[in-house]
Amino acid sequence: MTQAPAQHRGTRSRDAILDTAGDLMSRHGYAATSISMISAACGLPVSSLYWHFGSKDGIYVAVLQRARTALLAALPAVEVPGADVAQRLDTFLDEVRDAFQRHPHGLKLLLGLGMVQQDASAAAVAEVHHYRDALLAWATSSVSCVFGLRDRPEVSDELARFTLRVASGAAVARWFEPTAALETGPLRVALLALAAHHGVPPRGTRPEGPSGGLRGRG
């Protein structure tokens, strides 16, 4: 009879540790966030942190995993609706901006990379790269749908990487300016210009859809 309540308490404690650690690490970075800081902020003893995660690095990897799962789940579907390039691009950027605004801490952890330093473990660095690989696959498929580039994967890749670099820059900016937002207006102009540079017209019929890739769940 006591096992279920004990498990529930353990889950609550684990979530409280991750909530606190994610907030502290997104604000101060991995290296500057200590076990004692997390313990004091969440109100749980240091022994509880070690019992759940084994080490500070174990906490960090768990924080990254949870942030990655939440962010990828919040991404819009890669099949972007719209009658032409302009409409699809507007929809895509609006949804990207909304996801960016809903997950400020996760983006700073996973995109900013400010806390991944030499004292972070290989597991932590690998988790960040795993997220970025998944995000690039999603962005490439989405951009391919927006501009009708299924037959030009190299252009899709370039536009997707540019989009993620702009988003990464906005995430890093939040280290210095917490209210910094993803400016989709200039990004829209830049993407249309890059596409035009590769001979992609600003308008056209809606493509049938991308061939594969990740699907975000809104």
Side-chain angles (χ1 to χ4, degrees):
M1 296 295 292
T2 61
Q3 184 176 4
Q7 290 176 342
H8 187 57
R9 287 194 300 272
T11 299
R12 289 202 312 268
S13 296
R14 189 178 190 278
D15 288 342
I17 293 167
L18 292 179
D19 288 341
T20 302
D23 178 64
L24 291 173
M25 289 176 176
S26 71
R27 288 191 284 119
H28 304 295
Y30 171 80
T33 302
S34 66
I35 286 285
S36 60
M37 286 171 61
I38 299 171
S39 173
C42 71
L44 293 169
V46 169
S47 59
S48 179
L49 275 65
Y50 282 114
W51 188 84
H52 281 288
F53 299 102
S55 64
K56 187 180 89 166
D57 194 71
I59 296 173
Y60 181 46
V61 172
V63 165
L64 290 175
Q65 289 172 340
R66 191 168 70 159
R68 173 173 59 85
T69 299
L71 280 166
L72 291 177
L75 294 174
V78 297
E79 295 186 25
V80 185
D84 57 26
V85 169
Q87 289 183 6
R88 292 192 296 272
L89 183 58
D90 285 342
T91 299
F92 171 66
L93 292 178
D94 284 346
E95 292 179 333
V96 170
R97 182 192 59 218
D98 290 345
F100 186 94
Q101 292 299 118
R102 288 197 303 269
H103 298 274
H105 294 325
L107 280 161
K108 285 171 70 175
L109 285 165
L110 290 162
L111 286 174
L113 301 178
M115 73 294 298
V116 180
Q117 301 171 4
Q118 291 182 352
D119 51 353
S121 73
V125 176
E127 178 62 31
V128 173
H129 284 292
H130 180 57
Y131 167 75
R132 289 178 66 84
D133 289 344
L135 189 60
L136 179 60
W138 165 81
T140 301
S141 292
S142 296
V143 166
S144 177
C145 178
V146 167
F147 289 97
L149 295 171
R150 285 176 298 163
D151 297 329
R152 303 186 66 185
E154 72 287 351
V155 179
S156 297
D157 181 76
E158 179 181 339
L159 296 180
R161 289 180 185 275
F162 179 80
T163 300
L164 295 183
R165 285 168 186 151
V166 172
S168 297
V172 172
R174 282 184 167 172
W175 287 100
F176 310 98
E177 185 183 353
T179 59
L182 177 61
E183 300 290 343
T184 55
L187 177 56
R188 183 184 191 278
V189 172
L191 286 172
L192 287 171
L194 281 172
H197 173 73
H198 288 287
V200 179
R203 295 188 177 276
T205 58
R206 186 182 188 279
E208 296 176 2
S211 55
L214 292 181
R215 290 177 181 268
R217 298 187 299 277

